[in-house]
Coordinates of all heavy atoms in Angstrom, one line a residue:
W488 N -9.9 -37.3 -15.7 CA -10.3 -35.9 -15.3 C -9.9 -35.6 -13.9 O -9.6 -34.5 -13.5 CB -11.8 -35.8 -15.5 CG -12.2 -35.4 -16.9 CD1 -11.3 -35.2 -17.9 CD2 -13.5 -35.1 -17.4 NE1 -12.0 -34.8 -19.1 CE2 -13.4 -34.8 -18.8 CE3 -14.8 -35.2 -16.8 CZ2 -14.5 -34.5 -19.6 CZ3 -15.9 -34.9 -17.6 CH2 -15.7 -34.5 -19.0
H489 N -9.7 -36.6 -13.0 CA -9.2 -36.4 -11.7 C -7.7 -35.9 -11.8 O -7.3 -35.0 -11.1 CB -9.3 -37.7 -10.9 CG -10.7 -38.1 -10.5 ND1 -10.9 -39.2 -9.7 CD2 -11.9 -37.6 -10.8 CE1 -12.2 -39.3 -9.5 NE2 -12.8 -38.3 -10.2
L491 N -6.3 -34.4 -14.3 CA -6.3 -33.0 -14.9 C -6.8 -32.0 -13.8 O -6.2 -30.9 -13.7 CB -7.2 -33.0 -16.1 CG -7.2 -31.6 -16.8 CD1 -5.8 -31.2 -17.2 CD2 -8.1 -31.7 -18.1
T492 N -7.7 -32.4 -13.0 CA -8.2 -31.5 -12.0 C -7.0 -31.2 -11.0 O -6.8 -30.0 -10.6 CB -9.4 -32.1 -11.2 OG1 -10.5 -32.3 -12.1 CG2 -9.8 -31.2 -10.0
D493 N -6.3 -32.2 -10.6 CA -5.2 -32.0 -9.7 C -4.1 -31.2 -10.4 O -3.4 -30.4 -9.7 CB -4.6 -33.3 -9.3 CG -5.2 -33.8 -7.9 OD1 -5.9 -33.0 -7.3 OD2 -4.9 -34.9 -7.5
I495 N -4.5 -28.7 -12.6 CA -4.9 -27.3 -12.5 C -4.7 -26.8 -11.1 O -4.2 -25.7 -10.9 CB -6.3 -27.2 -13.0 CG1 -6.5 -27.6 -14.5 CG2 -6.8 -25.8 -12.8 CD1 -7.9 -27.8 -15.0
L496 N -5.2 -27.5 -10.1 CA -5.1 -27.1 -8.8 C -3.6 -26.9 -8.4 O -3.2 -26.0 -7.6 CB -5.8 -28.0 -7.8 CG -7.3 -28.1 -8.0 CD1 -7.9 -29.3 -7.1 CD2 -8.0 -26.8 -7.6
I504 N -7.5 -32.4 -5.3 CA -8.9 -32.7 -5.4 C -9.6 -33.1 -4.1 O -10.7 -32.8 -3.8 CB -9.2 -33.7 -6.5 CG1 -10.6 -33.8 -6.9 CG2 -8.6 -35.1 -6.1 CD1 -10.9 -34.7 -8.2
F508 N -13.0 -31.7 -2.6 CA -14.1 -32.6 -2.7 C -13.7 -33.9 -2.0 O -13.4 -34.9 -2.6 CB -14.4 -33.0 -4.2 CG -14.6 -31.7 -5.1 CD1 -13.6 -31.2 -5.8 CD2 -15.9 -31.1 -5.0 CE1 -13.8 -30.0 -6.6 CE2 -16.1 -30.0 -5.8 CZ -15.1 -29.4 -6.6
D519 N -20.4 -36.8 -11.0 CA -19.8 -36.6 -12.3 C -18.5 -35.8 -12.1 O -18.5 -34.7 -11.5 CB -20.7 -35.9 -13.2 CG -20.2 -35.8 -14.6 OD1 -19.0 -36.0 -14.9 OD2 -21.1 -35.5 -15.5
S520 N -17.4 -36.4 -12.6 CA -16.1 -35.7 -12.4 C -16.0 -34.4 -13.1 O -15.1 -33.6 -12.9 CB -14.9 -36.6 -12.8 OG -14.9 -37.7 -11.9
A521 N -16.9 -34.1 -14.0 CA -17.0 -32.8 -14.7 C -17.2 -31.7 -13.7 O -16.7 -30.6 -13.9 CB -18.1 -32.8 -15.7
I522 N -17.9 -32.0 -12.6 CA -18.1 -31.0 -11.5 C -16.7 -30.6 -10.9 O -16.4 -29.4 -10.7 CB -19.0 -31.6 -10.4 CG1 -20.3 -31.9 -10.9 CG2 -19.1 -30.6 -9.2 CD1 -21.2 -32.7 -10.0
F523 N -15.8 -31.5 -10.7 CA -14.5 -31.3 -10.1 C -13.7 -30.5 -11.0 O -13.0 -29.5 -10.6 CB -13.8 -32.6 -9.7 CG -14.7 -33.5 -8.9 CD1 -14.4 -34.9 -9.0 CD2 -15.7 -33.1 -8.1 CE1 -15.2 -35.8 -8.2 CE2 -16.5 -34.0 -7.3 CZ -16.2 -35.3 -7.4
L524 N -13.7 -30.9 -12.3 CA -12.8 -30.2 -13.3 C -13.2 -28.8 -13.5 O -12.4 -27.9 -13.6 CB -12.8 -31.1 -14.6 CG -11.8 -30.6 -15.7 CD1 -10.4 -30.5 -15.2 CD2 -11.9 -31.6 -16.9
K525 N -14.5 -28.6 -13.7 CA -15.0 -27.2 -13.9 C -14.7 -26.3 -12.7 O -14.4 -25.1 -12.8 CB -16.5 -27.2 -14.2 CG -16.8 -27.5 -15.6 CD -16.3 -26.5 -16.6 CE -17.0 -25.2 -16.5 NZ -16.5 -24.2 -17.5
A526 N -14.8 -26.9 -11.5 CA -14.6 -26.1 -10.3 C -13.1 -25.7 -10.3 O -12.8 -24.5 -9.9 CB -14.9 -26.9 -9.1
A527 N -12.2 -26.6 -10.6 CA -10.8 -26.2 -10.7 C -10.5 -25.1 -11.7 O -9.8 -24.2 -11.4 CB -9.9 -27.5 -11.0
Q528 N -11.2 -25.2 -12.9 CA -11.0 -24.2 -13.9 C -11.5 -22.8 -13.4 O -10.9 -21.8 -13.5 CB -11.7 -24.6 -15.1 CG -11.6 -23.5 -16.3 CD -12.4 -23.9 -17.5 OE1 -13.6 -24.3 -17.3 NE2 -11.9 -23.7 -18.7
D529 N -12.7 -22.8 -12.7 CA -13.2 -21.6 -12.2 C -12.3 -21.0 -11.1 O -12.2 -19.7 -11.0 CB -14.6 -21.9 -11.6 CG -15.7 -22.2 -12.7 OD1 -15.4 -21.9 -13.8 OD2 -16.7 -22.7 -12.3
L530 N -11.7 -21.8 -10.3 CA -10.8 -21.3 -9.3 C -9.6 -20.6 -9.9 O -9.1 -19.5 -9.5 CB -10.3 -22.4 -8.3 CG -11.4 -22.9 -7.3 CD1 -10.8 -24.2 -6.7 CD2 -11.7 -21.9 -6.3
A531 N -9.1 -21.2 -11.0 CA -8.0 -20.6 -11.7 C -8.4 -19.3 -12.4 O -7.7 -18.3 -12.3 CB -7.5 -21.6 -12.7
L532 N -9.6 -19.3 -13.0 CA -10.1 -18.0 -13.7 C -10.2 -16.9 -12.7 O -9.9 -15.7 -12.9 CB -11.4 -18.3 -14.4 CG -11.3 -19.2 -15.6 CD1 -12.7 -19.5 -16.1 CD2 -10.6 -18.4 -16.7
A533 N -10.7 -17.2 -11.5 CA -10.9 -16.2 -10.4 C -9.6 -15.6 -10.0 O -9.5 -14.5 -9.5 CB -11.6 -16.8 -9.2
Y536 N -6.1 -16.7 -14.3 CA -5.4 -17.7 -15.1 C -6.4 -18.5 -15.9 O -7.4 -18.9 -15.4 CB -4.5 -18.6 -14.3 CG -3.1 -17.9 -13.9 CD1 -3.1 -17.1 -12.8 CD2 -2.0 -18.1 -14.7 CE1 -1.9 -16.4 -12.5 CE2 -0.8 -17.5 -14.4 CZ -0.7 -16.6 -13.3 OH 0.4 -16.0 -13.0
I538 N -6.6 -22.0 -18.9 CA -5.8 -23.2 -19.3 C -5.3 -22.9 -20.7 O -6.1 -22.7 -21.7 CB -6.8 -24.4 -19.3 CG1 -7.3 -24.7 -17.9 CG2 -6.0 -25.6 -19.8 CD1 -8.4 -25.7 -17.9
S562 N -14.6 -34.2 -25.6 CA -15.4 -34.1 -24.4 C -14.7 -33.1 -23.4 O -15.4 -32.2 -22.8 CB -15.6 -35.4 -23.7 OG -16.2 -35.3 -22.5
T563 N -13.4 -33.2 -23.3 CA -12.6 -32.4 -22.4 C -12.7 -30.9 -22.9 O -12.9 -30.0 -22.1 CB -11.2 -32.9 -22.3 OG1 -11.2 -34.2 -21.8 CG2 -10.4 -32.0 -21.3
A564 N -12.4 -30.8 -24.2 CA -12.4 -29.4 -24.8 C -13.8 -28.7 -24.6 O -13.9 -27.5 -24.3 CB -12.0 -29.5 -26.2
R565 N -14.8 -29.5 -24.9 CA -16.2 -29.0 -24.8 C -16.5 -28.5 -23.3 O -17.1 -27.4 -23.1 CB -17.2 -30.0 -25.3 CG -18.7 -29.5 -25.3 CD -19.5 -30.5 -26.1 NE -19.4 -31.9 -25.5 CZ -18.8 -32.9 -26.2 NH1 -18.3 -32.7 -27.3 NH2 -18.8 -34.1 -25.6
L566 N -16.2 -29.4 -22.4 CA -16.4 -29.0 -21.0 C -15.7 -27.7 -20.6 O -16.3 -26.9 -19.9 CB -16.0 -30.2 -20.1 CG -16.2 -29.9 -18.6 CD1 -17.6 -29.8 -18.2 CD2 -15.5 -31.0 -17.8
L567 N -14.5 -27.6 -21.0 CA -13.7 -26.5 -20.5 C -13.7 -25.3 -21.4 O -13.1 -24.2 -21.1 CB -12.2 -27.0 -20.4 CG -12.0 -28.1 -19.3 CD1 -10.5 -28.5 -19.4 CD2 -12.3 -27.6 -17.9
G568 N -14.4 -25.4 -22.5 CA -14.5 -24.3 -23.5 C -13.2 -24.0 -24.1 O -12.9 -22.8 -24.4
L569 N -12.4 -25.0 -24.5 CA -11.1 -24.9 -25.0 C -11.1 -25.3 -26.5 O -11.9 -26.2 -26.9 CB -10.1 -25.8 -24.3 CG -9.9 -25.5 -22.8 CD1 -8.9 -26.5 -22.2 CD2 -9.3 -24.1 -22.6
M601 N -1.0 -23.1 -17.3 CA -1.9 -22.0 -17.1 C -1.3 -20.7 -17.5 O -0.2 -20.4 -17.1 CB -2.3 -22.0 -15.6 CG -2.7 -23.4 -15.0 SD -4.2 -24.1 -15.8 CE -5.4 -22.9 -15.3

Side-chain angles (χ1 to χ4, degrees):
W488 276 1
H489 289 184
L491 183 54
T492 299
D493 266 353
I495 296 169
L496 293 173
I504 192 170
F508 305 98
D519 187 341
S520 293
I522 298 171
F523 310 152
L524 186 52
K525 279 297 293 181
Q528 183 187 40
D529 290 344
L530 286 170
L532 288 171
Y536 280 82
I538 302 169
S562 176
T563 303
R565 184 168 55 250
L566 175 68
L567 298 174
L569 299 175
M601 311 299 294

